[in-house]
Amino acid sequence: MYIRTKTFKNKDGSTRTYLYIVEGKRVNGKVRQRIVANLGRLKKLQEGELDKLIEGLAKFSRRQWIEAQARSIQAQWAKDFGPALIFRRLWEDLKLSSILKELLAGTEIAIDVEEAVFAMVLNRLCDPASKLGVSRWKETVYRPEFERLKLHHFYRALDFLADHKEEIEEKLFERIRDLFHLELDLVFWDTASVYFEGRGAEGFCEYGFSKDHRPDRVQVILGFLMTREGIPIAHEVFPGATADVETFRVVLKDLQNRFRIRRVILVADRGMVSREVKGNLKVKEVWHEGRRYLICFNPEEAERERLSREEMVGKLEEKLRAGGLKGLIGNRGYRRYLKVEGSSAVVDREVLEEEARYDGKYVLETNAGLSVEEAALAYRGLWQVERAFREMKSGLDLRPVYHWTEKRIRGHIMVCFLAFVLEVVLMRRLREVGYEGSYQEVMTDLERLKAVEVTVDGRNYLVRTELEGKAYEVFKAVGIRVPGRVLEVGGEDVVECGGSMPGNR
């Protein structure tokens, strides 16, 4: 059906036009038109009757109704919603809010340091590489408490964290121990160097032995303590020239004085930490000249090393065929696999076979009274510490324009430490409900949950997007209800419209 007009001429030469609804049908191969309805004279209809008719008909048209409703809706903004909800719940579970407020009660600080610290920690968890800076990044997150935070609040919060670092760690450890029923008898300790592009803090950022192979940059030394369950409990920051043995003395004293530990087996090693992965582990105990050794074999690591070597050899042979011998000789990574004969070279198969014998194998020496399995797994657990260093160091690439003070550097590292604690606690909660995915997968799903403010007929509402992937499992794991789909904004309050049960996705 369609609309059709028909015009007639009056005796005085004027015209009149009528509006019809016409239906076209095919009869005996020809299209015939049939008037379904005569709507009346067009001029009279245009005086208001036609508009009423269209509005009435639009109610029965899905497309027209949607378009009409859309004209009354305005989307104001869309902000990240999921991560702030989840990590704030964990923040409260760990009593970090009350810990910080208790410490603030003894100061004359008037700004909301606790909320500023949470904002910086959330930024590290969600967008550590952000070029915007926390003061601008917070505008992309739906958390009304962030709106009152200013740039100088974050600087003041960093100073506060540096001043109260030990007290926060001790109170946080007590809460974690009670929450997860921990026994602190096995502690991992390792150190890493963190270099700066700028001059850093004079007298604190120093030249020293660089584990990053950047002796041309000033650095600090970062030490990290973690339980056998992989939960961070403390960290230390030392001047850049501090030797490892000195950091070891400090941490032993800390464990005895700060955490009241009667018996500690401290696992501290480097070298193979970054090569360790989870997987199967076969161990054999060997005693030699009164010393205890553990010969470990990880089949998964062996396969990874084999594939890595095959890929490297493939690239090496391709370069040899291209005639690039001179460049290969100068490359230490390639040179060890070459057998040079005059002006030509071939891949040294004997070296490859000898190296393959050690794939996935390493030897530990220990004087601890742990079982073979405990000792081997304890060493393998150091991958958690090394990962923590990677997480924390990623935010310490200070460019020349930023000449930070020692206190600000310490405060920033404390923010990274708290962020890592929250990440570990979240993954522990998820493992308890059977989740086997990665942290990155969890964050991807959480970040898809957005809060959108819309205006409908002059009233403001907050609409959340649907939960995707594993987001619902995350809410369940931390014990928080999924927010309602639509929330009405009234003044400073947000009122839920049409409630939401925990299963409402």
Side-chain angles (χ1 to χ4, degrees):
M1 288 188 291
Y2 54 92
I3 299 296
R4 176 182 169 187
T5 61
K6 188 173 182 180
T7 302
F8 299 91
K9 183 177 289 189
N10 298 319
K11 291 181 180 180
D12 60 0
S14 62
T15 61
R16 62 187 188 279
T17 302
Y18 290 84
L19 201 62
Y20 301 92
I21 297 178
V22 179
E23 179 183 39
K25 284 189 175 182
R26 186 173 291 276
V27 179
N28 297 326
K30 295 182 178 181
V31 176
R32 303 293 185 184
Q33 296 178 341
R34 183 176 71 89
I35 296 177
V36 176
N38 181 350
L39 299 180
R41 194 170 177 178
L42 180 59
K43 184 177 181 180
K44 185 176 181 179
L45 290 171
Q46 288 175 333
E47 292 175 355
E49 293 299 321
L50 187 58
D51 290 334
K52 292 180 181 179
L53 181 61
I54 292 173
E55 289 177 5
L57 290 172
K59 296 178 181 179
F60 302 97
S61 168
R62 181 176 179 83
R63 176 180 174 182
Q64 293 298 323
W65 182 86
I66 291 174
E67 290 182 357
Q69 294 301 311
R71 285 192 290 270
S72 68
I73 299 175
Q74 291 182 325
Q76 306 297 333
W77 46 252
K79 297 184 178 183
D80 293 341
F81 198 26
L85 291 173
I86 296 302
F87 286 113
R88 187 65 194 189
R89 177 55 179 261
L90 295 176
W91 184 267
E92 299 292 346
D93 284 350
L94 294 174
K95 296 188 175 179
L96 278 164
S97 178
S98 58
I99 289 172
L100 294 177
K101 288 178 179 177
E102 179 184 341
L103 294 172
L104 283 163
T107 71
E108 297 181 356
I109 300 175
I111 64 173
D112 194 348
V113 168
E114 184 265 334
E115 194 65 39
V117 172
F118 176 66
M120 290 189 290
V121 170
L122 186 63
N123 172 253
R124 292 296 309 169
L125 289 160
C126 298
D127 195 11
S130 173
K131 304 303 181 187
L132 296 176
V134 181
S135 62
R136 291 177 60 193
W137 166 86
K138 70 180 179 66
E139 302 299 330
T140 68
V141 179
Y142 179 70
R143 181 167 171 79
E145 292 83 354
F146 285 176
E147 294 178 6
R148 59 178 176 264
L149 296 176
K150 307 299 181 183
L151 180 60
H152 70 276
H153 295 168
F154 299 117
Y155 291 136
R156 187 67 185 90
L158 288 176
D159 294 340
F160 176 84
L161 288 177
D163 290 337
H164 298 275
K165 175 255 184 190
E166 293 192 357
E167 297 164 283
I168 295 170
E169 285 181 339
E170 290 163 19
K171 292 178 182 294
L172 179 58
F173 168 68
E174 291 296 331
R175 175 56 180 163
I176 290 175
R177 186 168 63 179
D178 294 341
L179 200 60
F180 297 112
H181 310 291
L182 298 181
E183 291 293 335
L184 198 63
D185 60 344
L186 179 64
V187 182
F188 299 108
W189 168 256
D190 203 357
T191 60
S193 56
V194 180
Y195 70 87
F196 293 81
E197 293 290 351
R199 60 181 174 83
E202 188 174 350
F204 182 57
C205 299
E206 304 172 334
Y207 293 101
F209 175 73
S210 175
K211 300 175 185 180
D212 296 305
H213 309 292
R214 292 304 305 264
D216 59 326
R217 295 288 188 266
V218 294
Q219 64 180 23
V220 295
I221 302 298
L222 175 61
F224 211 78
L225 277 171
M226 187 177 290
T227 70
R228 69 162 72 208
E229 294 84 5
I231 299 178
I233 59 172
H235 75 281
E236 296 291 344
V237 188
F238 304 91
T242 307
D244 274 354
V245 65
E246 183 59 32
T247 72
F248 200 80
R249 293 192 187 102
V250 171
V251 74
L252 282 176
K253 183 179 179 181
D254 266 5
L255 283 170
Q256 295 169 348
N257 297 340
R258 294 178 58 198
F259 300 106
R260 301 186 298 278
I261 307 302
R262 287 182 292 181
R263 177 176 178 267
V264 175
I265 299 172
L266 195 64
V267 180
D269 204 322
R270 299 192 307 277
M272 295 185 66
V273 175
S274 62
R275 298 177 58 183
E276 279 307 292
V277 297
K278 288 185 175 179
N280 299 325
L281 189 64
K282 299 179 181 180
V283 185
K284 181 178 181 179
E285 182 181 41
V286 175
W287 287 85
H288 179 67
E289 295 181 354
R291 294 187 174 185
R292 186 188 185 202
Y293 299 92
L294 302 178
I295 302 174
C296 305
F297 173 59
N298 187 328
E300 292 182 3
E301 177 69 6
E303 178 65 11
R304 189 194 69 80
E305 292 179 352
R306 183 186 68 79
L307 292 174
S308 178
R309 186 170 51 255
E310 286 183 355
E311 181 181 1
M312 182 277 303
V313 171
K315 292 180 179 179
L316 179 57
E317 291 177 332
E318 183 178 340
K319 290 181 180 295
L320 285 173
R321 287 192 294 270
L325 177 60
K326 184 177 180 180
L328 295 177
I329 294 298
N331 187 314
R332 275 197 278 175
Y334 286 136
R335 189 172 58 201
R336 57 185 296 202
Y337 298 107
L338 290 176
K339 182 185 292 185
V340 181
E341 298 175 351
S343 60
S344 63
V346 295
V347 175
D348 193 330
R349 296 294 171 181
E350 293 182 1
V351 171
L352 293 175
E353 291 175 4
E354 179 66 17
E355 187 174 275
R357 294 177 57 193
Y358 301 99
D359 286 353
K361 302 183 183 75
Y362 55 92
V363 178
L364 309 178
E365 179 183 358
T366 178
N367 60 3
L370 299 173
S371 68
V372 171
E373 292 79 9
E374 287 177 324
L377 290 173
Y379 181 80
R380 191 176 67 175
L382 276 171
W383 75 273
Q384 293 264 22
V385 182
E386 205 277 336
R387 178 178 178 275
F389 284 136
R390 291 200 305 271
E391 294 289 331
M392 299 179 81
K393 288 167 68 175
S394 66
L396 287 172
D397 186 16
L398 305 182
R399 300 302 177 186
V401 295
Y402 300 110
H403 296 159
W404 287 36
T405 65
E406 176 181 340
K407 180 177 286 189
R408 294 280 165 80
I409 293 171
R410 290 184 180 276
H412 179 75
I413 294 176
M414 185 62 179
V415 167
C416 299
F417 170 79
L418 293 174
F420 191 64
V421 171
L422 286 179
E423 177 186 333
V424 169
V425 171
L426 173 61
M427 295 310 295
R428 185 181 178 94
R429 290 297 194 206
L430 286 168
R431 298 288 183 251
E432 290 172 354
V433 297
Y435 177 75
E436 296 297 332
S438 69
Y439 173 73
Q440 289 74 21
E441 291 170 336
V442 166
M443 290 303 295
T444 297
D445 291 339
L446 281 180
E447 288 169 354
R448 291 174 180 170
L449 181 59
K450 306 290 185 181
V452 184
E453 185 179 75
V454 297
T455 301
V456 182
D457 296 329
R459 301 185 68 176
N460 292 338
Y461 297 88
L462 198 68
V463 180
R464 70 161 173 85
T465 58
E466 296 300 311
L467 272 66
E468 299 185 39
K470 296 296 181 180
Y472 174 70
E473 281 72 16
V474 181
F475 276 86
K476 182 179 178 181
V478 303
I480 185 174
R481 293 182 63 197
V482 177
R485 286 189 174 89
V486 180
L487 306 173
E488 183 177 359
V489 181
E492 295 183 356
D493 299 323
V494 178
V495 182
E496 185 173 327
C497 301
S500 171
M501 297 300 291
N504 186 359
R505 300 168 74 97

